Amino acid sequence: MKLRKTLLTAALAALALPLAAQQSFNVNLWPDGAPNSNGNPADTAKVWVYLPEKATATGRAVVICPGGGYSHLAMNHEGHDWAPFFNNMGIAAIVLKYRMPEGNHEVPVADAEEAMRLVRRNAKNWNIDPTDIGIMGSSAGGHLASTVATHATGDAMPAFQILFYPVITMMPDITHKGSHDNFLGHKPKKRLQQEYSNDLHVSRVTPRAFIALSDNDQSVLPANGVNYYVELYRHDVPASLHVYPKGGHGWGNRDSFVYHNEMQLELKAWLRSF
């Protein structure tokens, strides 16, 4: 009986080792106060940092922007639930809770760019390669991620981008109306709509991209992601586009997505390709 108990204790300890080796913690994004405001002091920005085991860490990291139409955030299936997937590949996952625009479109963009800078500032302590930090987003979070990918400079510039069923354009014909109105307001000037239509801002220095969406997405028209891919292709930016026959919108990392396994395998292959 005593031997059995000893063996069970040893087995449990062995199982606990990988979990203990992984680190997770959260950090306030603006500890000294944000440089801009959405008028809601209760809406604060923070990041959850999930670091892989040091022995398996590749130095790569990804900042994750959940979606929610710029009105709320799907923090679990489009955020935290992705951490084990990346950690198992030796990649650090940084899940961003960005503030909602609430009349100031610069607020979420500032949060996403600061999250990129935060990871670079802490790269040495977190065992991360500062030249290998990407950004990922789903739905409206995909718009935020692609905004950073096409507009940011310096330490806020990502090395790669991962976009799931993204909102890309702010032009009224194919944008997602909820994201558009929450981000820019109900009657923005055309110049502002063009500024945040990210397919119009692709250049030869735009980072490589992985784009995945469903053909039957009725919430965010597939043309958003497809048009973005076309512009990446036109500018010689390496990109991979995956259009699944069905699945609708908002599947994130849920097992219920009919092409969940295929999507994960394709994303893993893409991440290992560079």
Side-chain angles (χ1 to χ4, degrees):
M1 185 70 180
K2 186 176 180 181
L3 177 61
R4 217 158 148 203
K5 188 175 179 182
T6 304
L7 289 172
L8 178 60
T9 303
L12 290 172
L15 287 172
L17 280 174
L19 296 175
Q22 291 175 323
Q23 297 180 56
S24 62
F25 51 90
N26 61 71
V27 180
N28 289 328
L29 194 61
W30 304 103
D32 300 319
N36 47 28
S37 173
N38 61 7
N40 181 1
D43 186 14
T44 57
K46 66 191 303 183
V47 296
W48 280 262
V49 180
Y50 296 91
L51 301 180
E53 298 176 52
K54 194 169 184 180
T56 61
T58 62
R60 179 169 285 174
V62 58
V63 172
I64 302 172
C65 306
Y70 285 123
S71 67
H72 64 282
L73 292 176
M75 290 297 297
N76 291 323
H77 69 284
E78 293 179 351
H80 298 296
D81 292 351
W82 277 105
F85 170 87
F86 287 110
N87 283 180
N88 288 339
M89 291 188 69
I91 300 171
I94 295 87
V95 180
L96 170 64
K97 177 198 171 293
Y98 55 92
R99 294 169 295 158
M100 298 298 98
E102 298 192 38
N104 184 353
H105 63 272
E106 295 180 355
V107 166
V109 177
D111 288 352
E113 291 188 346
E114 180 62 13
M116 292 294 301
R117 296 189 194 99
L118 174 72
V119 178
R120 285 203 165 95
R121 287 198 299 269
N122 289 278
K124 185 175 181 180
N125 291 335
W126 296 352
N127 201 28
I128 288 170
D129 178 353
T131 68
D132 199 10
I133 303 168
I135 195 163
M136 169 177 145
S138 303
S139 195
H143 179 261
L144 183 57
S146 61
T147 297
V148 173
T150 53
H151 291 66
T153 58
D155 285 346
M157 183 71 173
F160 58 91
Q161 53 184 317
I162 301 169
L163 309 175
F164 292 105
Y165 39 87
V167 178
I168 292 293
T169 185
M170 286 287 120
M171 301 309 289
D173 52 347
I174 62 170
T175 190
H176 176 248
K177 189 175 185 328
S179 298
H180 171 279
D181 292 354
N182 290 327
F183 187 66
L184 295 180
H186 292 278
K187 294 182 179 179
K189 293 182 179 178
K190 187 175 182 180
R191 177 195 59 77
L192 199 59
Q193 291 179 124
Q194 291 175 334
E195 176 63 21
Y196 289 99
S197 292
N198 297 326
D199 52 322
L200 303 180
H201 298 280
V202 172
S203 71
R204 291 181 183 275
V205 298
T206 300
R208 67 178 67 230
F210 176 95
I211 307 165
L213 48 89
S214 298
D215 182 65
N216 67 342
D217 191 337
Q218 299 299 311
S219 298
V220 175
L221 294 179
N224 280 263
V226 173
N227 290 350
Y228 192 59
Y229 170 79
V230 170
E231 290 304 312
L232 292 165
Y233 178 81
R234 286 184 60 244
H235 289 85
D236 295 323
V237 176
S240 182
L241 174 65
H242 303 269
V243 181
Y244 301 106
K246 58 183 179 179
H249 186 78
W251 26 267
N253 202 24
R254 286 177 171 148
D255 292 341
S256 57
F257 174 45
V258 66
Y259 296 102
H260 174 77
N261 291 336
E262 289 86 348
M263 175 271 293
Q264 285 203 343
L265 286 171
E266 286 163 348
L267 179 54
K268 283 180 180 178
W270 181 77
L271 286 165
R272 288 169 176 156
S273 71
F274 62 96

